[in-house]
Amino acid sequence: MISNIQFLKEKVLVQNTSAYNKDVEERLKFLRRENTQIPIIYIGKGTCGIIAGAIKSTEAIKEYLSAKQITAEIIEVGCIGLCIAEPIVDIQLPGMTRLSFKNMNSENIVHVLDGIFNNNILNDFVLGQYRKKGLQSWENIPFIDSLEFFSLQNRIVIENAGIINPESIEDYIVNNGYNAFVKTIYHYTSNDICKIIEKSELRGRGGSGFPTGKKWKIAHDTASDQRYIICNANESDPGSFLDRLLIESNPHKLIEGMAIAAYGVRTSKAYIYIRSSNKLGIRRFKIAIEQAKEYGLLGENIFDSGFNLDIIIKISPGAFVCGEETALISSIEGKRGMPKLRPPYPSERGLFGKPTVINNAETLCNIPSIINNGPNWFNSIGTNSSKGTKVFSLSGKIKNTGIIEVPMGISFNDIIYKIGSGVKNNKNLKIIQVGGPAGTSIVKDKLSITVDFDVLKENGAFLGSSGIIVMDEDSCIVDLTKYYLRFLSNESCGKCIPCREGIHRMYEILDNITKRPKDEKSHQTLERFKGVMQMESLAEIIKDTSLCGLGKTAANTFISSIKWFRGEYEEHIFDRECKSGVCKELRVFNIDFDKCTGCNACPKKCPVNAIIGTAKYPHFIIEEKCIGCGACFETCKFSAIFVK
Amino acid sequence: MVFDIEVNNKKIKARKGETILSALNRNGIKVPTLCFMEDLQPTGACRICVVEVEGREDLVPSCSQIVEEWMKIKTHSPRVIKARRTIVELLLSNHPDDCLYCERNGNCELQKLSIELNILERRIPGNKNVLKADRSSSSLIRDPKKCILCGRCVRVCEEIVGVTAIDFVKKGNECSIEPSFNRPINLSSCINCGQCIMVCPTGALYEKDHLPELLESLNNPDKHVVIQYSPTVSVTLAEEFNLKAGKDINGMLNSALRKIGFNKIFESSFSADINAIEVASELIERLKTGTNLPMFSSCCPSWVKYVEQTHPDLIPNLSRCKSPQQIMGTLIKNYYAKTNAINPEDIYSVSVMPCVAKKFEAQRDEMTSKGITDVDAVLTTRELAKLIRLYGIDILNIESELADNPLGTRSSAGKLYGVSGGVTESIIRSFISKLNEHEPVNYKITELRGVNKNRKEFKLKVSNIELGVAVVSDMINAEKLLIEIANGRNDIHFIEVMACPDGCINGGGQPIPAKKEDIKLRMKAIYDIDEKDSIKFSHKNPLVNEIYQNYFEKDKSNENLNSIYTNFNKRDILL
């Protein structure tokens, strides 16, 4: 019997499984674990799984197996996207479909294992079963793809994430992996590839939505002795964790996408710019590169085609601005990550002065499927102006946090209320933040707008960041805007004046209105009002004059939030109150005389001695002294303290 | 190709490929700039030069946008003015309000912009960054709180001088410009050339002040205060008093210095003559023995520091002769003190230089012997102007006077030390005369003259000795030449290196701003003096000959001559 590597290379990749061959099919079935003799246990070990306790669960499983003397294969997989249900453990008994269990911490897992090996499935923990031909399905257990979280999704980019072993190239190849790349180098010229991508109407997922095929074509046609392709995986905005999932859970897909792109733009050098904090991703990506080299899928003269490719991992220090393409180029060149003037655009003169294509990780992960299924298949998905799917990271006050991939054209209503199954604790939704810190807020009434480059642009947002952050009625819009402005002010590179000074001033002005200095002088009050008066004009000018995308979009959150929530800003400014109680310094606590028992607990906790009262009699808070820290509120056992 | 574009509803002519800014400037429309630097690629950092282009969503920086035929531009529309105003106001919101106590009061670009844009109140409130000034360098002071981060100093240091001693550090509002590892600048690779001072729009960079010390000595009756001034000072000082560049006011300068109360006034051109003679003999000696070639000039202290820190292996190739400033210092404290029976300790020796690196040179360990420092204080041209103003001297309306003997005459060769290429020209004049034992008829070497040349080269043959010389200014060009030599080029025997582009006339101590046209005029003034002067050879300077006869040659131990030679040592820096 030939070795796996030989088998996969010769029988699967090169022959491209054209003619039906029983032996090949049988062996593939075995490698796909469709005819296994022993139980297989899959553990979700993405970062989210590990944080939720997957490591302890693994130990518990091993202990259980050795105690009961059961032989089973344990496979570590990535994340399927439903991060809230982690740690997720799948169990596949011989001949049966794969069964997925949620919230498998070290205690639950033992019960579940006990159950399944004794023909008793604990329904409370069941997520669902995977549909697989040739395997017997479980009765009375829903299929995973019929769950609401999955049924509305169309998973192309995150296709096998959380299902296959990210550290095994074999798993990837037997699941149709590297097919597209081998097809590319055997059957297409670089021009063909550019044309196919152009025809698929794939637009860059990095923000501006530039047609990917066109970008490749420009670099392809620019005369030069060297070109570069860079995969931008410097995901640094709060609430966005898509690149992390892509690299952690299915790194080979990204490598395949990069390899096809490199072939398309005729380059032998590709860089991937990964954020340094993505440690697990970097480790898995390194393993994946080594494996791909072993299979001859990277390196020199790939599959005797004369095409060479080297993928270099460049670890990003993690600055937000380094996601901007010219800053990213400077950073790879070893310089300070500061944006440069465009033109010249990187596709003409980029890294080390050579034509460079910079694509987002998500964009590149679309490529293999387009090559496999053809451009027409791809552009049949989505809307007129936006084809394909879009991946989002759902977070904030939403029930199902995680990564989802939806076809373009779906409404935010469906995303939030169907896939995300609504707001946590059944509260009312206030806004969703789309596009990261420099994105826009969409209010409840506007949730019917659809995911589409142009529709979002009309609404002041862009599809640059994958983050959708859900805020419920308890959140304070001023505090939120302040948070984003502080983030952007810290992340500004400091090159151009409006961005460096302007964003910081906007942050300071907002910070001032969410604070109540104890003995404010009259000129300080005046300064505060003066600042408020400047906010809108400042926002406009920062947008109008900044050098790069960071500055140009920095004021977006403010502009959109003041459009919908002017009243809330005014409350902070004139009434000096924050109704949601988030702005701590504006809170004024009061004691309900009827409820207060005079237990004397709160005066002891008050850091400024603002609470007076005799034991066993209701206490009183001196408003002028109170700093709104909330220590008394947290101490009171009788719910006698409330925010006015 | 020339075409029309519409600017402020009027048609103007623009050339294909030029930027909007250049088209506007040529047509008499002024757009303010801050980060813009002539001859360098625009960075678009300051956004002051934005204009409105019809059809473009955002305002466009005119310094980098190429003009196109369809363009309709508004340079001073309300939207543009509001944007510019806000940008300057944002800068001011983080700028200390101490204009009256600022080095650059009255000559500050930020001040000018604020006046131009009619900013009369602090509209944008905010906390100011607290940053400490770095006074560690013996040449310059960095005051980051006045820095507006236009990045001009960073660029001049990296792209023109080629040292990269400073760069941006930290992010966002905390961003500032600092030397490597955020350590004091005296530990960095800074070569003290002061080109950063010349481009700084505000008072964030300025020379280390030697005036207070000098004033104290001037007022001390026990001190014998002697001053020397560099060849270039007489042709650039006038600019400080609002005269056109290139006016030589040597006589008035002497008279002003005398009025201030300096006991003696000497010219560094005199010691430059000595330097030329000595370097010429040193060169002949080295050519004969074939050792330590090519020989490098050592009169630029920035270049000397650069060699010491970056190419310590080339230290033996430096000419061992002291620079004119230090030769003069040595002569004042020894020869002059002896002949006039003054205790050297009572002499306070001051020099006026177009340079801030000379302040560094004066305090080098090697420049003090037996407890006596060669030069006690170094003023820049700018500081001298301040002193003249302080003493209320109307320099433009006083009679001309001569400098003092015995160190006050000069040949025009000594004067040539002020321009890039001039040092070599003077040395070659002495070199030829020495070998041929008579002076050449054609004293002018046009190959070594002119501004904005990356490198000047010249070859000659005198009595069977072939000599190739090269002249470079700034470290980028020097580095290129060094690479050629490392790769085996051996037809160059003498190399003159100046840190500042075009030499001392564009030095870091000269009047600000030093525009390109000004540099040309300053250079022309020096060449005009060479044309007019009757003594054109260093060894024809009668007082120089006297010193050789009475001081250097009489001394059998050679101690006197050795005192104008020095040593250089390897220097460790933080790179």
Side-chain angles (χ1 to χ4, degrees):
Chain A
M1 205 156 103
I2 53 172
S3 68
N4 272 350
I5 179 163
Q6 220 177 340
F7 167 74
L8 289 173
K9 264 179 85 171
E10 287 170 13
K11 303 287 177 197
V12 179
L13 285 176
V14 175
Q15 299 211 336
N16 244 331
T17 49
S18 49
Y20 177 74
N21 181 330
K22 202 176 171 233
D23 290 346
V24 172
E25 204 53 34
E26 277 303 310
R27 189 156 176 187
L28 270 178
K29 239 183 172 176
F30 173 75
L31 285 171
R32 287 195 194 117
R33 300 192 181 81
E34 280 167 16
N35 50 1
T36 146
Q37 306 301 320
I38 51 166
I40 303 174
I41 300 172
Y42 300 84
I43 306 168
K45 269 200 175 168
T47 304
C48 47
I50 291 171
I51 292 168
I55 292 176
K56 275 193 178 164
S57 307
T58 316
E59 281 165 14
I61 292 170
K62 282 182 184 160
E63 241 167 64
Y64 178 86
L65 292 178
S66 64
K68 301 272 166 172
Q69 293 186 333
I70 301 171
T71 2
E73 192 183 354
I74 298 179
I75 296 171
E76 291 178 2
V77 294
C79 165
I80 57 164
L82 193 56
C83 301
I84 191 78
E86 293 282 0
I88 294 175
V89 172
D90 299 356
I91 300 167
Q92 186 183 353
L93 295 181
M96 301 296 282
T97 53
R98 186 167 160 181
L99 205 48
S100 196
F101 295 92
K102 59 186 174 188
N103 299 332
M104 286 295 98
N105 58 31
S106 49
E107 278 171 33
N108 294 345
I109 184 72
V110 179
H111 299 308
V112 167
L113 285 173
D114 238 357
I116 199 159
F117 288 123
N118 295 313
N119 272 332
N120 172 28
I121 292 179
L122 298 180
N123 274 320
D124 290 354
F125 295 113
V126 170
L127 194 62
Q129 58 175 323
Y130 286 86
R131 219 182 276 275
K132 195 84 162 199
K133 249 196 224 160
L135 293 179
Q136 200 194 333
S137 51
W138 296 84
E139 273 173 40
N140 297 329
I141 285 175
F143 284 99
I144 277 223
D145 52 15
S146 65
L147 298 177
E148 213 171 22
F149 181 79
F150 292 97
S151 64
L152 284 172
Q153 293 194 43
N154 184 352
R155 293 160 81 97
I156 297 170
V157 171
I158 56 173
E159 195 186 359
N160 278 323
I163 295 172
I164 62 167
N165 181 357
E167 295 184 17
S168 156
I169 190 170
E170 289 160 11
D171 267 25
Y172 183 65
I173 294 176
V174 295
N175 284 294
N176 214 13
Y178 285 115
N179 229 333
F181 179 49
V182 174
K183 194 169 157 190
T184 301
I185 53 176
Y186 277 142
H187 301 291
Y188 296 122
T189 64
S190 53
N191 246 326
D192 293 340
I193 294 294
C194 290
K195 261 184 212 149
I196 291 172
I197 302 301
E198 217 163 334
K199 202 176 162 207
S200 75
E201 293 174 53
L202 172 67
R203 291 171 73 173
R205 303 312 196 218
S208 56
F210 194 80
T212 308
K214 211 169 147 190
K215 201 181 210 174
W216 291 10
K217 189 80 181 134
I218 297 171
H220 177 272
D221 292 348
T222 307
S224 176
D225 54 340
Q226 177 68 54
R227 292 178 191 78
Y228 294 102
I229 169 144
I230 300 173
C231 168
N232 182 355
N234 180 53
E235 194 175 43
S236 303
D237 42 331
S240 174
F241 38 97
L242 151 68
D243 292 356
R244 201 207 71 210
L245 175 125
L246 290 180
I247 297 169
E248 269 176 19
S249 303
N250 200 357
H252 284 288
K253 184 145 195 161
L254 185 53
I255 292 180
E256 190 178 4
M258 285 173 77
I260 297 168
Y263 185 84
V265 297
R266 300 190 288 161
T267 163
S268 59
K269 249 189 187 162
Y271 283 88
I272 176 161
Y273 193 68
I274 314 183
R275 200 176 143 82
S276 60
S277 59
N278 194 350
K279 293 238 161 36
L280 182 64
I282 294 171
R283 193 175 64 94
R284 288 194 176 150
F285 203 81
K286 274 185 185 157
I287 293 172
I289 288 180
E290 286 311 313
Q291 289 173 341
K293 276 186 187 158
E294 203 181 320
Y295 271 73
L297 290 157
L298 289 178
E300 295 206 343
N301 195 14
I302 296 166
F303 279 59
D304 297 323
S305 63
F307 173 62
N308 308 327
L309 181 63
D310 196 11
I311 294 184
I312 300 155
I313 299 180
K314 191 84 194 174
I315 293 174
S316 136
F320 182 59
V321 75
C322 287
E324 202 276 344
E325 51 183 21
T326 52
L328 189 153
I329 286 174
S330 297
S331 174
I332 292 184
E333 285 172 346
K335 298 180 193 148
R336 184 179 158 90
M338 271 184 164
K340 285 189 209 128
L341 283 170
R342 291 182 303 180
Y345 288 94
S347 19
E348 289 158 349
R349 190 135 51 86
L351 187 63
F352 304 115
K354 308 288 182 190
T356 304
V357 167
I358 301 176
N359 280 139
N360 184 281
E362 186 188 343
T363 317
L364 288 170
C365 282
N366 270 305
I367 306 294
S369 308
I370 297 175
I371 302 292
N372 271 333
N373 303 319
N376 292 331
W377 162 81
F378 187 81
N379 66 28
S380 68
I381 308 166
T383 64
N384 270 341
S385 63
S386 314
K387 305 295 183 190
T389 58
K390 176 76 190 109
V391 186
F392 286 111
S393 336
L394 292 182
S395 63
K397 297 282 171 65
I398 191 164
K399 279 183 188 153
N400 289 342
T401 50
I403 303 271
I404 58 161
E405 182 172 1
V406 288
M408 293 279 189
I410 194 171
S411 75
F412 283 101
N413 255 326
D414 287 350
I415 292 179
I416 303 299
Y417 289 107
K418 289 189 178 157
I419 300 175
S421 71
V423 183
K424 253 185 205 165
N425 304 328
N426 293 326
K427 293 220 165 151
N428 276 327
L429 184 135
K430 191 169 195 174
I431 54 153
I432 60 169
Q433 175 78 13
V434 181
T440 193
S441 324
I442 300 178
V443 285
K444 206 180 168 188
D445 308 344
K446 285 265 177 181
L447 281 185
S448 56
I449 62 167
T450 52
V451 176
D452 180 302
F453 283 104
D454 297 347
V455 173
L456 276 173
K457 205 173 175 192
E458 277 165 34
N459 285 279
F462 65 109
L463 275 179
S465 148
S466 69
I468 293 183
I469 302 172
V470 178
M471 314 281 167
D472 65 10
E473 55 197 333
D474 288 345
S475 49
C476 166
I477 216 80
V478 180
D479 186 69
L480 177 74
T481 313
K482 191 176 93 174
Y483 167 77
Y484 282 132
L485 283 172
R486 192 180 61 187
F487 173 83
L488 290 163
S489 156
N490 286 342
E491 292 297 331
S492 160
C493 77
K495 184 171 180 176
C496 74
I497 300 164
C499 175
R500 178 184 73 229
E501 305 287 351
I503 301 175
H504 187 73
R505 291 297 167 230
M506 284 182 72
Y507 161 71
E508 275 187 348
I509 293 166
L510 281 191
D511 194 40
N512 268 339
I513 66 170
T514 56
K515 271 187 185 153
R516 184 175 20 207
K518 270 220 312 246
D519 36 7
E520 193 179 59
K521 306 267 179 341
S522 58
H523 76 271
Q524 286 170 323
T525 318
L526 187 70
E527 291 270 280
R528 195 175 70 235
F529 278 97
K530 239 168 120 182
V532 172
M533 312 268 290
Q534 306 309 330
M535 271 302 258
E536 274 171 282
S537 93
L538 215 52
E540 198 182 296
I541 281 160
I542 294 170
K543 201 179 160 110
D544 216 5
T545 56
S546 286
L547 171 69
C548 79
L550 194 153
K552 280 189 195 300
T553 55
N556 278 356
T557 315
F558 173 75
I559 293 171
S560 66
S561 67
I562 199 149
K563 187 165 138 200
W564 303 111
F565 298 98
R566 188 172 277 272
E568 206 170 316
Y569 278 93
E570 283 169 355
E571 271 167 29
H572 281 74
I573 298 164
F574 302 113
D575 308 341
R576 313 271 30 232
E577 68 172 338
C578 174
K579 285 218 168 114
S580 49
V582 175
C583 301
K584 282 193 174 178
E585 294 208 17
L586 291 185
R587 288 191 297 189
V588 176
F589 288 94
N590 266 23
I591 295 178
D592 188 335
F593 290 158
D594 298 335
K595 285 184 183 169
C596 180
T597 59
C599 70
N600 231 342
C602 52
K604 285 176 194 149
K605 289 277 175 186
C606 182
V608 287
N609 297 331
I611 305 177
I612 48 170
T614 334
K616 296 191 180 158
Y617 290 95
H619 287 14
F620 179 74
I621 296 176
I622 308 167
E623 208 181 306
E624 286 74 27
K625 275 192 170 180
C626 176
I627 54 165
C629 68
C632 53
F633 181 78
E634 282 151 23
T635 312
C636 186
K637 287 177 192 156
F638 309 99
S639 314
I641 297 176
F642 62 97
V643 182
K644 194 165 81 177
Chain B
M1 200 179 91
V2 177
F3 51 81
D4 284 338
I5 52 167
E6 200 182 298
V7 176
N8 304 337
N9 300 323
K10 277 189 193 126
K11 289 223 153 41
I12 66 162
K13 296 262 182 248
R15 293 179 191 147
K16 197 180 161 82
E18 71 177 341
T19 60
I20 296 181
L21 183 70
S22 114
L24 294 176
N25 283 348
R26 215 161 10 82
N27 286 282
I29 300 164
K30 214 184 129 206
V31 169
T33 57
L34 261 182
C35 67
F36 176 73
M37 293 176 85
E38 252 177 292
D39 299 335
L40 292 185
Q41 280 284 320
T43 60
C46 73
R47 322 304 285 177
I48 293 276
C49 68
V50 284
V51 293
E52 206 176 331
V53 176
E54 213 177 280
R56 292 281 292 265
E57 203 183 317
D58 297 329
L59 296 178
V60 173
S62 62
C63 67
S64 59
Q65 179 67 48
I66 305 293
V67 277
E68 283 174 52
E69 276 177 77
W70 50 267
M71 278 184 174
K72 286 183 180 167
I73 298 167
K74 291 216 166 58
T75 59
H76 288 83
S77 65
R79 180 178 166 206
V80 173
I81 290 182
K82 191 178 167 200
R84 279 187 206 144
R85 264 187 77 128
T86 309
I87 289 170
V88 174
E89 281 173 324
L90 280 171
L91 283 177
L92 293 176
S93 75
N94 195 11
H95 195 80
D97 289 326
D98 58 353
C99 288
L100 288 177
Y101 311 105
C102 179
E103 174 73 22
R104 294 288 292 273
N105 187 15
N107 187 16
C108 166
E109 286 179 43
L110 186 62
Q111 211 174 37
K112 266 182 216 152
L113 271 177
S114 152
I115 296 167
E116 252 171 54
L117 292 162
N118 196 24
I119 295 169
L120 298 170
E121 63 160 336
R122 178 175 293 284
R123 196 165 59 95
I124 301 165
N127 298 327
K128 288 169 190 175
N129 289 347
V130 183
L131 296 160
K132 277 187 184 152
D134 177 359
R135 296 173 186 277
S136 64
S137 164
S138 43
S139 293
L140 47 86
I141 294 169
R142 286 185 332 104
D143 192 354
K145 62 178 176 296
K146 286 188 184 160
C147 177
I148 55 171
L149 295 163
C150 65
R152 271 152 52 170
C153 52
V154 175
R155 302 190 71 203
V156 86
C157 196
E158 181 179 343
E159 293 172 41
I160 293 181
V161 180
V163 172
T164 324
I166 43 175
D167 206 342
F168 292 92
V169 298
K170 294 190 185 168
K171 289 188 292 185
N173 181 256
E174 290 182 349
C175 186
S176 64
I177 292 172
E178 301 284 344
S180 39
F181 306 114
N182 236 331
R183 302 296 306 277
I185 196 158
N186 61 339
L187 305 175
S188 75
S189 61
C190 172
I191 56 169
N192 307 311
C193 69
Q195 282 300 307
C196 51
I197 300 178
M198 301 303 288
V199 294
C200 183
T202 66
L205 282 160
Y206 53 97
E207 66 268 49
K208 186 145 198 157
D209 200 355
H210 283 190
L211 265 187
E213 249 182 275
L214 165 65
L215 289 175
E216 206 173 290
S217 298
L218 270 176
N219 297 329
N220 184 347
D222 298 334
K223 285 273 179 198
H224 187 78
V225 188
V226 179
I227 192 165
Q228 57 164 317
Y229 54 83
S230 136
T232 57
V233 172
S234 72
V235 298
T236 58
L237 182 67
E239 286 168 53
E240 279 284 338
F241 298 95
N242 301 328
L243 284 193
K244 212 181 148 205
K247 176 116 174 75
D248 184 26
I249 52 166
N250 207 340
M252 297 176 206
L253 172 61
N254 290 334
S255 143
L257 292 175
R258 205 158 279 144
K259 283 190 194 334
I260 289 169
F262 289 100
N263 299 71
K264 288 284 177 201
I265 296 142
F266 298 137
E267 268 202 60
S268 309
S269 311
F270 175 90
S271 45
D273 280 337
I274 296 181
N275 182 282
I277 296 169
E278 287 305 314
V279 175
S281 357
E282 212 182 345
L283 182 58
I284 293 170
E285 195 57 38
R286 290 197 194 182
L287 282 171
K288 276 182 188 158
T289 57
T291 50
N292 295 335
L293 285 173
M295 179 165 138
F296 293 108
S297 69
S298 67
C299 41
C300 175
S302 297
W303 160 243
V304 169
K305 180 168 188 256
Y306 185 77
V307 173
E308 287 177 327
Q309 70 194 25
T310 319
H311 298 288
D313 52 314
L314 293 176
I315 290 175
N317 293 39
L318 286 169
S319 156
R320 282 189 52 241
C321 189
K322 282 184 183 173
S323 72
Q325 168 183 267
Q326 296 306 130
I327 294 178
M328 181 59 92
T330 316
L331 290 178
I332 288 171
K333 297 256 169 120
N334 296 309
Y335 174 71
Y336 169 74
K338 232 177 255 173
T339 45
N340 289 281
I342 306 170
N343 182 359
E345 282 172 21
D346 291 339
I347 296 181
Y348 191 78
S349 171
V350 189
S351 72
V352 186
M353 291 288 145
C355 180
V356 288
K358 290 281 175 192
K359 290 177 189 267
F360 164 79
E361 187 186 30
Q363 56 84 54
R364 285 177 65 116
D365 286 349
E366 297 88 346
M367 301 304 171
T368 297
S369 60
K370 296 173 196 156
I372 308 264
T373 313
D374 291 349
V375 177
D376 297 299
V378 181
L379 304 185
T380 59
T381 314
R382 297 188 292 266
E383 281 176 284
L384 175 65
K386 272 195 216 164
L387 182 71
I388 292 172
R389 281 191 217 108
L390 184 66
Y391 273 78
I393 291 157
D394 186 3
I395 191 169
L396 302 175
N397 290 313
I398 50 178
E399 287 297 315
S400 288
E401 287 174 19
L402 286 175
D404 288 310
N405 285 341
L407 309 167
T409 60
R410 60 159 162 80
S411 75
S412 65
K415 199 79 180 166
L416 279 180
Y417 265 58
V419 294
S420 166
V423 175
T424 313
E425 200 174 330
S426 313
I427 291 168
I428 289 179
R429 285 183 197 175
S430 298
F431 180 84
I432 299 175
S433 315
K434 206 155 201 165
L435 286 175
N436 287 349
E437 292 178 349
H438 63 82
E439 289 73 41
V441 187
N442 193 4
Y443 57 88
K444 228 198 244 179
I445 306 174
T446 43
E447 286 88 340
L448 298 179
R449 296 189 169 196
V451 287
N452 291 329
K453 288 188 181 163
N454 293 334
R455 188 188 303 170
K456 306 169 196 171
E457 281 185 25
F458 180 60
K459 291 206 171 68
L460 74 161
K461 197 172 174 184
V462 203
S463 60
N464 290 328
I465 293 185
E466 275 185 51
L467 180 72
V469 297
V471 172
V472 287
S473 51
D474 71 53
M475 297 306 129
I476 288 182
N477 290 320
E479 204 56 53
K480 280 182 197 155
L481 184 59
L482 289 181
I483 288 168
E484 280 178 29
I485 287 167
N487 288 340
R489 193 172 171 191
N490 56 7
D491 58 335
I492 300 287
H493 308 103
F494 179 78
I495 299 167
E496 172 199 322
V497 189
M498 295 286 172
C500 299
D502 299 320
C504 306
I505 42 162
N506 187 23
Q510 296 283 32
I512 302 172
K515 292 190 205 114
K516 250 169 139 188
E517 315 88 75
D518 296 348
I519 310 287
K520 272 186 196 159
L521 291 170
R522 291 174 191 174
M523 197 176 251
K524 189 175 170 292
I526 299 250
Y527 291 142
D528 285 348
I529 293 170
D530 186 39
E531 205 77 16
K532 274 184 247 153
D533 265 21
S534 50
I535 310 174
K536 292 187 168 59
F537 294 89
S538 299
H539 57 276
K540 289 280 175 186
N541 183 341
L543 289 176
V544 165
N545 285 330
E546 205 181 303
I547 257 198
Y548 268 88
Q549 281 164 18
N550 298 340
Y551 186 61
F552 292 150
E553 283 159 16
K554 256 191 186 168
D555 170 38
K556 291 284 177 283
S557 65
N558 253 352
E559 205 177 292
N560 292 346
L561 192 61
N562 282 342
S563 68
I564 62 165
Y565 278 84
T566 183
N567 289 311
F568 308 106
N569 300 308
K570 185 176 184 290
R571 195 177 279 274
D572 290 323
I573 50 153
L574 283 176
L575 264 180

